[in-house]
Amino acid sequence: MAETNDARARLIAAAADALLELTPSDLISAIGTRRLAARAGLSAAALYHHFSSVAEFADAVVAHVYDAAALRIETPTQGAALIGRSSLPIDHAYDIHRAEFRRLTTEPGLRLRLGLWALGGGTTDDTYGAFLRDTDAVISTGIHTMLKAWGREPRPPVDVAALTATHVALLSGVSVRHVVDPGTIDIETFARIASAITVAAVRRIGDPYDMDDRLADLNYFLLDRGTDPTTESTSRSDSRSRALGAAATLFADRGYEETTIAQVTRAAGISTSTFHLMFSTKAGLAAEVVRTGLRGALADHTERSAGPEVPDPAPDPAPTAAVGRLHDRLTAAAHYAARRVDYLAPYVGELGGHRPEAGREPAVDVVAALLEEVVGEHADPITGAAPGALGTDPALEVAHALVLLLLSRVAGAPGVPPSQHATTALRLLLGPIAPTPAVPASSVPASSVPAGATFAV
């Protein structure tokens, strides 16, 4: 029995291989020239009168099957005027795709073209390919006219040719599936799927967003409104952290100007819709990256900016005096900022655009707390009052001005040692209680700061 089963399997495999090796000539010969001639009401001799060989006859049959000129294709050109008057012509798109679906699922030529290609071996590849290019050219003309009337263009890297080929391939495959398994997909389902592809693949003329941007935007699924608010909040927080981390990495690798929102959303694994729920613009994102990093630099003397960056070397150990501690924190902040000059401007602009408010700027809050320590050792630098007399609000005002001054100076001269910027800012604002001797330059060499990196504040 085992031997019999093996023989059956070998015979079946051999037959399958033989089918793959068939050519149109083999298929004609298998039917028989006499039978074919009789089907045409002619004699076998008549066949050989017109064709010198079976191979020549087979070539003529192939050319007939793949004659694009003989195929009547309804293009979408006639709907252009209607589309031009519609802001979102989904109904017209449905009509076009329905018409094509009906045509192809009832056309015997589809089965013949596919069958001859499948059983004709590699000899029909070029002929079928030429047929598809010829028919695509007709359809592409209609699509181009339709898009122009609609005020749209394909989203790069998609072009009209690629969009046409995609639709033709989808239509062919769906038509075959509908014929052999009609319960799986119907005309209305196909019309909606094909129209969705068109809408996603095109943009308004002049729109700068490419296909990847659009896909990132589509990759957005609202949370179930019945979910636990705590879970939703956690998810939003996680998305925000990923966006900040991705932005910090991309800004460092590509530069601020070369980084796009689409790149950030793809790297963070979020949609552009989710992004815009958290940040209004790329500049707002950059400001938040700096804000987060400064909080860490000022609080801990270490780099804890959002994202998988390599931490900067920590500043020298803080002196015990309050002024020394303040100077040390400001040096760490200047060190952090000097390495982010490329995208420091949005944060400096936001900082200078509002009045100081507790809890709004973590970096300012840290500096304000350190200033409270400073006035515990010195007279009020503003009023000359006794030590400890500086109130919370004045401390916040001075801290706000101090951070703004420090970052503005770093932005204008990023190559200056961070400790020098800290010393200058302290002396300008605190006068006599600022450190008298210049604190040694930061442990970070000036060479680590990008040369010539400046911007107007």
Side-chain angles (χ1 to χ4, degrees):
M1 181 63 71
E3 184 177 334
T4 300
N5 288 338
D6 179 62
R8 284 170 55 86
R10 288 163 56 191
L11 286 169
I12 292 171
D17 290 341
L19 287 172
L20 289 173
E21 296 171 2
L22 284 175
T23 67
S25 294
D26 294 330
L27 295 173
I28 295 294
S29 297
I31 297 172
T33 55
R34 186 183 302 276
R35 181 180 175 186
L36 288 171
R39 189 181 183 97
L42 301 171
S43 66
L47 187 151
Y48 285 103
H49 173 74
H50 292 282
F51 303 98
S52 62
S53 65
V54 172
E56 183 184 342
F57 179 45
D59 289 342
V61 172
V62 170
H64 170 76
V65 171
Y66 297 113
D67 182 7
L71 186 65
R72 301 186 62 181
I73 301 174
E74 295 294 330
T75 71
T77 305
Q78 64 273 16
L82 290 173
I83 287 173
R85 294 194 295 269
S86 175
S87 59
L88 187 62
I90 290 297
D91 288 341
H92 303 307
Y94 285 170
D95 289 342
I96 291 169
H97 293 302
R98 287 189 192 104
E100 283 297 286
F101 184 89
R102 291 190 189 97
R103 177 185 67 80
L104 208 55
T105 53
T106 57
E107 183 203 344
L110 173 65
R111 185 187 296 265
L112 184 56
R113 286 191 298 272
L114 292 174
L116 188 57
W117 170 76
L119 293 177
T123 60
T124 57
D125 286 355
D126 292 341
T127 307
Y128 195 9
F131 168 86
L132 291 173
R133 289 190 295 274
D134 289 343
T135 53
D136 281 4
V138 177
I139 298 171
S140 291
T141 300
I143 289 179
H144 179 77
T145 303
M146 179 187 71
L147 292 179
K148 185 177 180 181
W150 189 16
R152 301 294 192 272
E153 63 183 2
R155 290 184 184 273
V158 177
D159 56 19
V160 172
L163 182 59
T164 300
T166 299
H167 273 304
V168 169
L170 176 65
L171 177 61
S172 297
V174 168
S175 297
V176 171
R177 184 61 184 264
H178 177 76
V179 170
V180 301
D181 186 16
T184 303
I185 188 166
D186 58 25
I187 187 171
E188 294 302 323
T189 303
F190 167 75
R192 283 164 173 75
I193 292 173
S195 297
I197 291 174
T198 301
V199 171
V202 302
R203 64 185 183 182
R204 287 184 178 274
I205 295 175
D207 182 346
Y209 293 103
D210 61 18
M211 191 63 180
D212 288 338
D213 297 326
R214 182 57 176 149
L215 291 176
D217 186 49
L218 290 172
N219 182 32
Y220 175 50
F221 299 93
L222 288 171
L223 292 173
D224 184 352
R225 293 302 181 186
T227 55
D228 184 348
T230 304
T231 303
E232 184 172 353
S233 176
T234 301
S235 176
R236 179 72 59 82
S237 176
D238 181 58
S239 295
R240 184 182 181 85
S241 296
R242 295 204 308 273
L244 291 172
T249 300
L250 288 168
F251 290 161
D253 293 344
R254 297 172 177 265
Y256 175 73
E257 293 298 332
E258 297 301 318
T259 297
T260 66
I261 290 176
Q263 291 169 349
V264 172
T265 56
R266 288 198 294 273
I270 62 176
S271 71
T272 53
S273 300
T274 300
F275 175 91
H276 286 298
L277 288 174
M278 301 181 292
F279 309 100
S280 57
T281 61
K282 185 175 77 170
L285 171 66
E288 190 58 32
V289 170
V290 173
R291 181 177 289 108
T292 303
L294 280 174
R295 176 175 56 194
L298 279 164
D300 303 315
H301 302 194
T302 60
E303 291 288 78
R304 287 196 295 181
S305 61
E309 298 183 8
V310 178
D312 296 330
D316 297 329
T320 55
V323 172
R325 286 195 295 275
L326 175 59
H327 181 276
D328 187 62
R329 304 292 176 87
L330 292 177
T331 297
H335 173 210
Y336 172 87
R339 296 186 58 175
R340 279 86 182 171
V341 168
D342 184 38
Y343 56 97
L344 187 60
Y347 177 72
V348 173
E350 284 191 10
L351 187 64
H354 60 76
R355 293 183 59 79
E357 179 182 338
R360 182 168 186 170
E361 298 290 349
V364 172
D365 291 342
V366 171
V367 173
L370 290 168
L371 282 172
E372 291 286 357
E373 292 185 34
V374 170
V375 298
E377 299 177 348
H378 299 82
D380 185 335
I382 307 299
T383 65
L390 186 63
T392 301
D393 289 342
L396 202 61
E397 293 275 359
V398 175
H400 185 271
L402 190 55
V403 174
L404 184 59
L405 175 62
L406 176 74
L407 298 183
S408 297
R409 293 187 64 83
V410 171
V416 173
S419 62
Q420 186 174 328
H421 280 308
T423 299
T424 301
L426 280 171
R427 285 177 174 166
L428 286 174
L429 278 181
L430 302 186
I433 70 170
T436 300
V439 178
S442 167
S443 59
V444 180
S447 61
S448 68
V449 181
T454 61
F455 67 88
V457 178

